[in-house]
Amino acid sequence: MEQKKNEVSKVRVIVRIRPFLPTESHYSILEIDRSDKSPVLELLNPSVKGEVHRYSFDACYQTEATQEIIFDSEIKPVLGEILNGVNTTIFAYGNTGAGKTFTMQGTPDQPGFIPRVGKSVL
């Protein structure tokens, strides 16, 4: 499908850091630098001592961020566009155990994005 001249296409990349497992080192994340327009996540390279990788995202959420906080900040603002017929896709990507199912489906106590979107549009 060809994009019309006045249409806007926007892809946002958001990272959510899940709580560390007991076997993982929480020292691998140095910091999230929010001084710039886009947050920058700094990670230590486990293969090369002292080497730091920097990744820029549209938004970055620490382990303390709840389903509600992320939904209200990132998903809720585009719900009006969805109801106006704008095609929208939200997907979770990551390794096994990264928290994709929790983020999308959630739990009875902390519903994920799918039940929150359903509740919001009904």
Side-chain angles (χ1 to χ4, degrees):
M1 178 183 221
E2 189 175 315
Q3 188 172 343
K4 294 179 184 173
K5 220 175 193 178
N6 294 332
E7 287 183 1
V8 176
S9 178
K10 176 74 172 165
V11 174
R12 290 181 42 83
V13 180
I14 292 112
V15 66
R16 178 184 203 177
I17 301 168
R18 68 157 169 73
F20 289 97
L21 299 174
T23 57
E24 298 173 324
S25 170
H26 64 278
Y27 297 109
S28 61
I29 296 179
L30 293 179
E31 69 177 275
I32 299 173
D33 180 3
R34 290 189 167 87
S35 61
D36 220 1
K37 189 175 181 181
S38 297
V40 175
L41 180 63
E42 293 184 352
L43 303 171
L44 286 176
N45 182 349
S47 303
V48 180
K49 188 176 180 177
E51 185 175 282
V52 176
H53 293 280
R54 295 174 53 86
Y55 301 96
S56 249
F57 299 98
D58 293 300
C60 189
Y61 293 90
Q62 294 278 23
T63 59
E64 305 84 29
T66 64
Q67 300 278 59
E68 183 177 18
I69 289 171
I70 300 171
F71 179 80
D72 288 347
S73 299
E74 304 298 335
I75 310 301
K76 208 173 200 177
V78 299
L79 289 180
E81 295 177 26
I82 293 169
L83 295 173
N84 287 330
V86 176
N87 290 329
T88 303
T89 302
I90 301 164
F91 72 95
Y93 176 82
N95 293 335
T96 299
K100 300 176 298 292
T101 302
F102 175 73
T103 297
M104 297 302 280
Q105 295 179 351
T107 64
D109 293 338
Q110 290 192 50
F113 295 166
I114 295 168
R116 287 176 189 271
V117 167
K119 187 176 179 181
S120 295
V121 297
L122 293 179

